[in-house]
């Protein structure tokens, strides 16, 4: 061992101990008669002192030191004359007797401090230095603690952690697969799993009863801030359960994590049907930290001669508490905001419920004070509130209002990141119609069970069929999702048919699963949590990149190791492939 | 929930309880007046009874049932008249009142029993049925318990479990990489990690201090029984430690696993230099459950006129206790055994130490009784023992004798799989000369530190340099291996030079690591355990396939899902590659 103690360990009780520490130079303060070195490791910072009593040989070494040098330091623990209450080792310091430079350091490209001067790109290129900063390292420690909390809960509930293969089979359904050419099977490819879905279902057929895995998954998609080509899921499956059992079990897991890791008690996990989430929040992942629900005011505003509303399929409103004093400029800016292509609103009407009890609206021409009062009552607006109204096609208007609601929530400071409001969104539609390809797609995946009472609708009105599917939503973020699965081979075959698979295609892709179902499949259901997102929520970070040790950038590159990269021609040849580069346009 | 209890839960205390169970039909015994159904789930087997008191509707359902049907069964717990002491539920049975077939089953292609009639291929194709058999499932449960034991030990020692990337960069050194074409970076490829080696070293540079991960690794090699293209490692790294600290820490981990999982106390973890392992056991992974060490008898047998020995570089012997009565036939068969190409022996001489004190040898012509006695003394042979002698080139002969020693150990029943003898093999050579390519290769990997006292030899006699590298060997199996790492960029550059890298190649492949070392790298060291092998040893299985849920066969195929497989042309096109299949010869 290069050390007797860590840099976070020594206390006033250790005074007079002879100790050896090892760590990095955080900073050096030369006060003339005395020099202080802050030595840092993962566990903390300890102050080293060189003064008139320090051996000359040691004092002489100071000149060669710099930031981020790795030192081994011997000395005696003594009480500090000026104590630092901000750090646990702040009562002591080490009077140096020996000093050894274990590794020198070039001047780092950015400062290793909580508030660094390094930009995003530089920090990613030198990620190993970025990881030395406490906020980044703390995120990774938090991540490890969360994984531990997940495992201890699920182990206590008889779940078996089981590894499923990473080299699997490509399936055209869903997102793009990453593929791996097989040298031993020329012309053939493995795919990396987008999730272990079929394997965990096979484990249920195998009678494993309760399975989980914290597992890397892969999707070759164009990346956004909160997407990575490789990401981590908490993947779970249970047999002989109904939807309610799954929701209870994983409500328990979620509570356990909040309690163990953040010491937060989360009280309620309400269930909300998808249709209600869309009607009231304009989103299938409502942020329920605040109210401001959407009201359908179509009935109240139609037929008063305002053409825009009269011709709209739907008119909805939200009530922004205490915003009646919004200025013309603020309202114009909100109008511009909803008209952005991402939101797609055509306009924004408003009704100000002034503090003096009067009402003032942007559509005064068409509505009497009485009309406006009725609307205000309908959206429970009080004096001092601002009612915001949008109209148009129902689905699109709801989504736009949902976005506006979030924006107003942010503006009003109603989205505190230390408040956690989970809920289950349930009763999702089973299928989604795609206008472009003129076919249905599985909203969740092709293995999701329709609600038994809706099965008959599969033949008559497939779009109306609800699924036994559920999402765990916290603070407007989809943290997990799952479903009760189909376990009947005929129903599974019918699902593939509805999704436009020929019998041959279904057999080629998923034959092994449908065959497995012929040998006694138990009723089963499961869920997968996006672990990266969950950690970033616990850490209070905006992007999952901040909770991943070595993330990739938006082009899927690891700029630190400079990957992906070209490979040797001999490798390509062995793999029976060659490059087929298109000319650049 | 489809059940109130599992099939392994009910006891005599539950008598008169109304219960609901769910599970698979293990077997049905129709005794005329009564019918017994053994209902099985992961937790056990419970007997269901249909007799004259069973509702007729239930009794009628019996005709449609078969093996592996999934049932939901309601009834009352009652005491059995004829108890079964072999199972925990053997005192009770369920008098059926309701029965529901949740899923029928085709007749399974092999019996779901501990001793199945299914061959290897059939069991792999229907792995989900194979996994229903207790011995297979027990292996996977053991695996999960071992992973849990690893984590609880390492967490208690302040190791941070950290995920490293799966999509990394291809490096020509070492085994073949699996590669993944990047759609977003045309013409470029990711590689799947053969180990997280460089990343864990970067985590040390980042000050993580103690890292571990139970992680999938990948090697595109031609497969043998104990190899899989994807395998699992317990990967660990520590900072500010010397070799001794690492060995103590992971001796602790190994003890913990044996104690927690098998309730076995492992007492000693001796250290054995590589050179001693080779001299005494003819192997760098000696099976020390038994003695029968190799003796160098060159001095004693040379110069007596026996040309074979006189011209040999080395003559070695082992002493097989109590084998003096081996017949001519047995000895001939041993001689054939050592002459097999895998062993490569040219012949086998023997000396029988007869129980009457006389000595009889296959080389009597050249050696007096006195000569033979001297040899017998040298190998500590007693009356009743058999001395086996091989000669030739030293290294090859030692390895052949090592193999013969293991064979004799097996024949004599000295390799009990419930006895565990661990040891550390230390002081490996740093470099290995390859005759074919006329260059040195890293015996461990290019990041392994030479012993400080041997560094000077790097320039004068590289083959003599010993490494600070170590293997954990248990019962002749290499369970783990690691090393103290180089943390000085100049020494690392020198190593790459000795391994035949140009400066440019080294920079292109490992520049990120050498650059990282310029910013203050701590001394660090680590180890990786082959988790699959460790589990198979704990499970008493011969091959790692038996402890992997969904293994691949020797051509790297998953015969259950039929992977790898062809992919669509559009996929190839998007990835900017095309097939380049050679004509079959």
């Amino acid at each position: 061992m290069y050390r007797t103690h860590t840099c976070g360990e020594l206390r006033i009780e250790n005074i007079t101990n002879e100790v050896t520490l090892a760590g990095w130079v955080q900073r050096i303060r030369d006060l003339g008669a005395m020099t202080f070195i802050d030595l840092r490791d993962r566990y903390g910072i300890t102050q080293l002192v060189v003064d008139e009593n320090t051996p000359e040989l040691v004092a002489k070494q100071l000149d060669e030191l710099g930031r981020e040098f790795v030192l081994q330091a011997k000395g005696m623990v003594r009480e500090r004359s000026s104590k630092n209450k901000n750090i646990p080792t702040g009562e002591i310091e080490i009077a140096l007797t020996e000093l050894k430079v274990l590794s020198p350091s070039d001047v780092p490209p950015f400062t290793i401090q909580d508030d660094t001067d390094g930009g995003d790109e530089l920090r990613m290129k030198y990620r190993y230095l970025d990881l030395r900063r406490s906020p980044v390292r703390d995120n990774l420690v938090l991540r490890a603690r969360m994984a531990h909390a997940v495992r201890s809960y699920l182990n206590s509930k008889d779940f078996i952690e089981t590894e499923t293969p990473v080299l699997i089979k490509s399936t055209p359904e869903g997102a793009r697969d990453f593929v791996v050419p097989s040298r031993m099977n020329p012309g053939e490819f493995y795919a990396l799993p987008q999730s272990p879905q079929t394997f965990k279902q096979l484990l249920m057929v195998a009678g494993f009863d309760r399975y989980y895995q914290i597992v890397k998954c892969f999707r070759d998609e164009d990346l956004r801030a909160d997407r990575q080509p490789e990401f981590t899921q908490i993947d779970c499956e249970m047999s002989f359960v109904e939807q309610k059992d799954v929701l209870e079990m994983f409500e328990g897991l979620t509570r356990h994590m909040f309690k163990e890791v953040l010491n937060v008690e989360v009280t309620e996990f309400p269930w909300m049907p998808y249709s209600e989430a869309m009607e009231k929040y304009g989103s299938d992942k409502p942020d329920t930290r605040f109210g401001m629900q959407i009201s359908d005011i179509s009935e109240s505003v139609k037929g008063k001669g305002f053409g825009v509303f009269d011709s709209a399929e739907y008119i909805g409103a939200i009530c922004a508490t205490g915003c009646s004093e919004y200025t013309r400029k603020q309202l114009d800016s909100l109008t511009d905001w909803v008209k952005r292509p991402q939101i797609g609103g055509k306009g924004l009407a408003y009704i100000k419920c002034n503090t003096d009890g009067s009402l003032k609206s942007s559509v005064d021409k068409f509505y009497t004070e009485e009309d406006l009062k009725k609307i205000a009552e309908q959206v429970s607006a009080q004096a001092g509130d601002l009612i915001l109204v949008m109209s148009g096609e129902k689905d699109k208007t709801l989504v736009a209002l949902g976005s506006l609601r979030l924006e107003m929530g942010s503006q009003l400071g109603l989205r505190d990141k230390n408040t956690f409001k989970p809920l289950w969104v349930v009763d999702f539609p089973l299928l989604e119609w795609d206008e472009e390809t003129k076919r249905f797609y599985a909203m969740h995946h092709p293995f999701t069970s329709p609600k038994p009472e809706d099965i008959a609708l599969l033949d008559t009105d497939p779009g109306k069929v609800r699924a036994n599917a559920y999402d765990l939503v916290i603070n407007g973020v989809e943290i997990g999702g799952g479903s009760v699965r189909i376990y009947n081979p005929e129903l599974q075959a019918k699902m593939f048919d509805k999704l436009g698979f020929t019998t041959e295609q279904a057999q080629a892709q998923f034959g092994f699963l449908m065959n497995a179902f012929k040998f006694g499949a138990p009723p089963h259901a499961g869920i997968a949590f996006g672990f990266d997102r969950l950690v970033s929520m616990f850490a209070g970070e905006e992007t999952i990149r901040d909770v991943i040790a070595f993330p990739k950038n938006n082009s899927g590159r690891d700029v630190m190791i400079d990957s992906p990269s070209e490979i040797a021609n001999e490798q390509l040849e062995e793999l029976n492939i060659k490059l087929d580069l298109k000319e650049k346009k």
Side-chain angles (χ1 to χ4, degrees), chain A:
Chain A
M1 278 287 195
Y2 283 77
R3 65 189 173 203
T4 57
H5 296 78
T6 70
C7 295
E9 198 174 347
L10 294 167
R11 299 285 183 277
I12 198 85
E13 303 84 69
N14 299 100
I15 279 172
T16 74
N17 291 8
E18 296 284 346
V19 300
T20 307
L21 301 184
W24 286 260
V25 173
Q26 179 69 35
R27 60 169 183 163
I28 303 175
R29 279 167 301 151
D30 182 355
L31 307 183
M34 296 174 100
T35 300
F36 296 106
I37 303 170
D38 282 349
L39 195 68
R40 182 196 73 230
D41 67 11
R42 172 184 141 200
Y43 309 93
I45 284 185
T46 300
Q47 179 168 292
L48 314 177
V49 195
V50 174
D51 58 19
E52 70 279 11
N53 300 316
T54 308
E56 199 176 343
L57 271 173
V58 174
K60 266 189 179 163
Q61 285 178 278
L62 290 181
D63 295 341
E64 50 174 291
L65 301 185
R67 276 196 290 142
E68 301 304 318
F69 273 50
V70 182
L71 306 183
Q72 186 181 36
K74 289 191 193 190
M76 200 183 68
V77 182
R78 71 183 189 200
E79 190 168 3
R80 280 205 210 183
S81 52
S82 129
K83 293 184 181 163
N84 180 346
K85 303 263 179 220
N86 297 321
I87 58 172
T89 62
E91 293 195 290
I92 58 94
E93 62 191 10
I94 312 294
L96 277 190
T97 53
E98 275 181 59
L99 188 62
K100 187 174 172 188
V101 174
L102 296 174
S103 287
S105 174
D106 288 358
V107 175
F110 50 84
T111 56
I112 311 296
Q113 289 171 344
D114 291 8
D115 284 317
T116 180
D117 57 358
D120 220 40
E121 212 160 314
L122 208 54
R123 288 171 44 214
M124 284 302 146
K125 184 165 161 58
Y126 296 92
R127 181 65 165 174
Y128 44 86
L129 298 180
D130 198 30
L131 287 168
R132 284 187 191 166
R133 302 191 308 114
S134 310
V136 186
R137 194 189 51 235
D138 289 350
N139 285 347
L140 275 301
V141 172
L142 177 81
R143 186 181 178 109
R145 288 178 56 216
M146 288 179 70
H148 184 62
V150 169
R151 290 194 166 97
S152 62
Y153 178 86
L154 293 175
N155 288 346
S156 79
K157 301 289 183 190
D158 274 336
F159 283 78
I160 307 175
E161 187 168 25
T162 310
E163 296 172 58
T164 53
V166 176
L167 296 171
I168 65 164
K169 184 169 173 162
S170 188
T171 58
E173 190 73 353
R176 261 189 225 96
D177 284 322
F178 282 106
V179 299
V180 180
S182 166
R183 179 182 56 86
M184 294 218 269
N185 302 274
E188 298 190 329
F189 292 77
Y190 302 101
L192 303 182
Q194 297 183 27
S195 93
Q197 182 63 33
T198 48
F199 289 97
K200 67 176 175 175
Q201 293 194 243
L202 289 172
L203 286 173
M204 294 304 104
V205 174
F208 271 45
D209 206 73
R210 294 180 172 196
Y211 143 93
Y212 82 99
Q213 191 181 187
I214 300 182
V215 62
K216 276 278 173 76
C217 300
F218 306 85
R219 255 176 231 169
D220 184 12
E221 286 181 295
D222 300 320
L223 303 176
R224 301 191 311 242
D226 61 342
R227 287 264 177 90
Q228 286 277 315
E230 51 180 298
F231 55 97
T232 304
Q233 287 194 349
I234 309 169
D235 192 50
C236 309
E237 197 80 6
M238 303 171 74
S239 288
F240 299 118
V241 289
E242 290 158 304
Q243 174 167 308
K244 169 171 97 47
D245 306 311
V246 180
L247 301 200
E248 277 171 15
M249 177 64 72
F250 293 99
E251 175 178 325
L253 171 64
T254 310
R255 276 182 203 288
H256 177 82
M257 280 192 279
F258 273 107
K259 181 71 190 154
E260 281 295 300
V261 179
L262 295 185
N263 197 26
V264 165
E265 303 271 4
V266 184
T267 47
E268 281 175 83
F269 281 72
W271 295 18
M272 188 185 293
Y274 169 84
S275 55
E276 183 184 335
M278 294 309 297
E279 296 272 352
K280 290 191 179 162
Y281 298 93
S283 169
D284 60 358
K285 35 180 194 282
D287 184 345
T288 52
R289 281 174 297 185
F290 64 106
M292 210 191 286
Q293 291 178 3
I294 300 167
S295 302
D296 179 352
I297 57 166
S298 307
E299 292 303 309
S300 318
V301 298
K302 283 194 173 205
K304 306 284 180 173
F306 182 35
V308 173
F309 286 175
D310 284 352
S311 65
E313 184 191 357
Y314 171 90
I315 305 105
I318 57 174
C319 169
T321 308
C323 295
S324 67
E325 309 280 312
Y326 261 40
T327 61
R328 178 86 237 162
K329 199 174 156 197
Q330 282 176 299
L331 289 165
D332 283 350
S333 139
L334 275 183
T335 307
D336 290 345
W337 192 90
V338 302
K339 282 181 169 172
R340 294 184 315 154
Q342 302 96 302
I343 309 299
K346 292 201 193 77
L348 183 65
Y350 66 84
I351 305 170
K352 287 182 170 182
C353 305
N354 296 321
T355 43
D356 63 5
S358 68
L359 296 169
K360 167 82 190 124
S361 119
S362 59
V363 289
D364 276 353
K365 217 194 301 182
F366 304 101
Y367 299 94
T368 64
E369 177 111 7
E370 210 47 48
D371 291 336
L372 298 178
K373 252 193 189 137
K374 210 175 132 197
I375 298 168
E377 263 165 44
Q378 202 186 336
V379 304
S380 306
Q382 308 292 320
D385 293 352
L386 173 69
I387 302 168
L388 297 168
V389 182
M390 293 181 74
S391 64
E393 235 178 280
K394 180 170 180 180
D395 292 353
K396 286 185 183 162
T397 306
L398 279 170
V399 170
L401 274 167
S403 302
L404 178 62
R405 175 182 171 271
L406 291 180
E407 170 63 18
M408 290 309 296
S410 296
Q411 288 194 12
L412 297 176
L414 301 174
R415 305 177 73 191
D416 171 22
K417 66 181 183 179
N418 296 313
T419 301
F420 298 98
K421 288 285 184 192
L423 76 157
W424 291 106
V425 177
V426 297
D427 298 352
F428 279 83
L430 183 69
L431 302 166
E432 248 177 337
W433 179 257
D434 182 62
E435 261 309 316
E436 205 172 312
T437 54
K438 300 280 174 206
R439 52 163 279 204
F440 280 110
Y441 283 86
M443 189 146 181
H444 196 67
H445 54 51
F447 315 110
T448 295
S449 173
K451 284 195 166 289
E453 61 267 34
D454 289 2
I455 287 181
L457 287 171
L458 265 178
D459 291 319
T460 55
D461 192 356
K464 277 266 165 20
V465 178
R466 289 165 308 159
N468 267 330
Y470 33 82
D471 276 358
L472 176 63
V473 173
I474 306 179
N475 294 1
V477 179
E478 182 199 325
I479 290 297
S483 63
V484 175
R485 322 299 185 187
I486 297 169
Y487 64 100
N488 171 308
E490 287 82 36
L491 184 56
Q492 186 65 68
K494 184 167 200 166
M495 261 304 274
F496 285 128
D497 178 50
K498 292 290 159 202
L499 294 171
F501 283 76
T502 65
T503 312
E504 292 69 35
Q505 286 168 335
Q507 192 59 38
Q509 297 297 331
F510 300 110
F512 60 96
L513 187 68
M514 288 193 287
N515 285 340
F517 284 175
K518 289 183 187 154
F519 294 99
H524 59 290
I527 194 168
F529 292 85
F531 189 53
D532 306 291
R533 272 194 217 171
L534 191 59
V535 179
S536 68
M537 168 171 289
F538 272 53
E541 295 287 0
E542 295 300 320
T543 127
I544 62 171
R545 235 185 289 177
D546 294 326
V547 299
I548 295 174
F550 300 103
K552 293 182 176 57
N553 73 10
N554 281 350
S555 335
R557 289 203 80 77
D558 182 328
V559 294
M560 180 186 71
I561 63 171
D562 193 22
S563 159
S565 59
E566 291 178 8
I567 62 174
N569 280 327
E570 301 81 62
Q571 278 176 287
L572 292 173
E573 208 163 295
E574 272 199 324
L575 295 171
N576 301 287
I577 56 173
K578 55 184 173 190
L579 297 184
D580 182 26
L581 297 172
K582 284 90 192 166
E583 273 176 66
K584 285 198 179 139
K585 284 160 197 165

